[in-house]
Amino acid sequence: MMESCKGPPGFVLACPQPSVDRCHRMPRQSIWQTLSFPRVYAAENPTATDKIEQAVSIDSIKTVNFVSEREIQEYMMKETGKDRLVKMFSKNHIGGWSPEVQFIKQVTTQTALITFLITSFVGGRHAREEFVRKHQATVFSTRFRAFRSLQDSIFMKSLLDGAKWTVKVSLFTVSLLGISQSIAVYRNKSSPWEYSVGLGITAAFLKCNLGLKGMFAGGVFGTVMGLVGGTAIWGIMYALNETQEQRNYWKVQKHLEMEKASRGLLVSPETGEQLQPQPMS
């Protein structure tokens, strides 16, 4: 919203004033908006710059979210932890998974790929050293046969070690992220405790071959390490404004926008035109 101030003859001094929404709340402004200087416009015929700014302002109107804070809060109050958990493991109207499941799949895939590359390389080096140690006194018929035996040994050892560790690390990642994300979605709150619980259960499960004592020791160790790591992860998420509360708020806002758009209720108050919901970044 602009307020006209007195300026030189023939000119209008436009002073930027913060707009107030219908809930009488001041919107958050960046430091550049706070320190911005007044702009001077000619009071006669509009120039090309005026037309461009007018077009930009009209385009910006079409991307405003027309879902009130009250509607979002009412929807979130009716929502239960079970409802959020069911939505997390269900596909949406276009056949896509929820952001939480996509996050688990992405992290697991990347972790599995990195684990396979590292462990296969290390396994190949160990296989080469083991082959040289075992066949120091072996006499091969040809140099080609010796080289072929070495390559076969390296290839098989790399493949087996890479596959074994990839499966272990993938199961560990899926278990940890699945448990922690499920707890956060059910509670609709991010905290270090879900990572502590998730890592504790995962560590106890991985030590099941050592009996109850091994599972207990692994669970205690995983709980402590999960609390330490979870605190760091929660701090990063809070700094980036990517906590579970904020993500669920955006999802509800998007859902209500899509619902209004499907019923033709998402319209511009200035032009009366039907608008499309703002895409989530």
Side-chain angles (χ1 to χ4, degrees), residues 19 58-59 63 176 240 270:
S19 59
I58 292 175
D59 291 339
T63 60
L176 171 61
L240 298 177
E270 285 80 7

Side-chain angles (χ1 to χ4, degrees), residues 57-248:
S57 63
I58 292 175
D59 291 339
S60 63
I61 289 175
K62 296 183 179 181
T63 60
V64 175
N65 295 320
F66 290 98
V67 178
S68 66
E69 180 74 16
R70 180 179 178 181
E71 292 176 313
I72 297 176
Q73 294 298 331
E74 288 179 353
Y75 185 91
M76 293 174 65
M77 288 179 63
K78 297 178 182 178
E79 201 177 37
T80 64
K82 182 179 179 181
D83 296 335
R84 289 189 294 269
L85 206 57
V86 170
K87 290 180 182 178
M88 172 181 170
F89 293 102
S90 302
K91 292 185 177 181
N92 54 25
H93 62 285
I94 59 176
W97 291 101
S98 64
E100 291 81 11
V101 174
Q102 292 179 2
F103 171 74
I104 295 174
K105 291 173 61 177
Q106 181 181 2
V107 173
T108 303
T109 302
Q110 295 174 353
T111 305
L113 179 60
I114 295 174
T115 302
F116 181 81
L117 293 177
I118 294 176
T119 55
S120 61
F121 175 76
V122 174
R125 290 189 59 179
H126 290 169
R128 181 185 181 87
E129 296 173 358
E130 186 70 14
F131 183 87
V132 173
R133 186 182 64 81
K134 284 185 177 181
H135 296 85
Q136 286 182 352
T138 304
V139 178
F140 294 92
S141 58
T142 61
R143 183 171 181 173
F144 173 77
R145 179 176 290 276
F147 182 77
R148 181 63 180 272
S149 299
L150 175 62
Q151 293 300 318
D152 291 345
S153 177
I154 293 175
F155 176 78
M156 291 302 299
K157 184 65 174 177
S158 300
L159 185 62
L160 292 176
D161 283 3
K164 179 181 69 175
W165 283 103
T166 298
V167 172
K168 288 184 177 181
V169 173
S170 297
L171 291 175
F172 174 84
T173 306
V174 171
S175 176
L176 171 61
L177 295 181
I179 295 173
S180 60
Q181 290 295 313
S182 298
I183 295 175
V185 169
Y186 186 85
R187 297 174 62 236
N188 194 29
K189 183 178 181 180
S190 293
S191 68
W193 296 109
E194 57 258 23
Y195 295 95
S196 178
V197 174
L199 189 56
I201 295 176
T202 302
F205 174 75
L206 293 178
K207 296 296 182 179
C208 61
N209 60 325
L210 300 179
L212 293 178
K213 291 184 178 180
M215 292 180 65
F216 178 78
V220 172
F221 178 78
T223 300
V224 175
M225 295 304 298
L227 183 61
V228 175
T231 302
I233 295 174
W234 176 82
I236 296 174
M237 292 172 62
Y238 184 82
L240 298 177
N241 200 22
E242 287 288 342
T243 58
Q244 171 61 32
E245 302 95 306
Q246 188 61 49
R247 291 199 305 265
N248 187 59

Side-chain angles (χ1 to χ4, degrees), residues 252-273:
V252 171
Q253 183 183 58
K254 178 66 175 177
H255 173 74
L256 294 178
E257 287 180 0
M258 295 293 295
E259 197 175 61
K260 280 192 172 185
S262 63
R263 294 185 295 173
L265 300 178
L266 198 63
V267 297
S268 170
E270 285 80 7
T271 62
E273 298 178 355

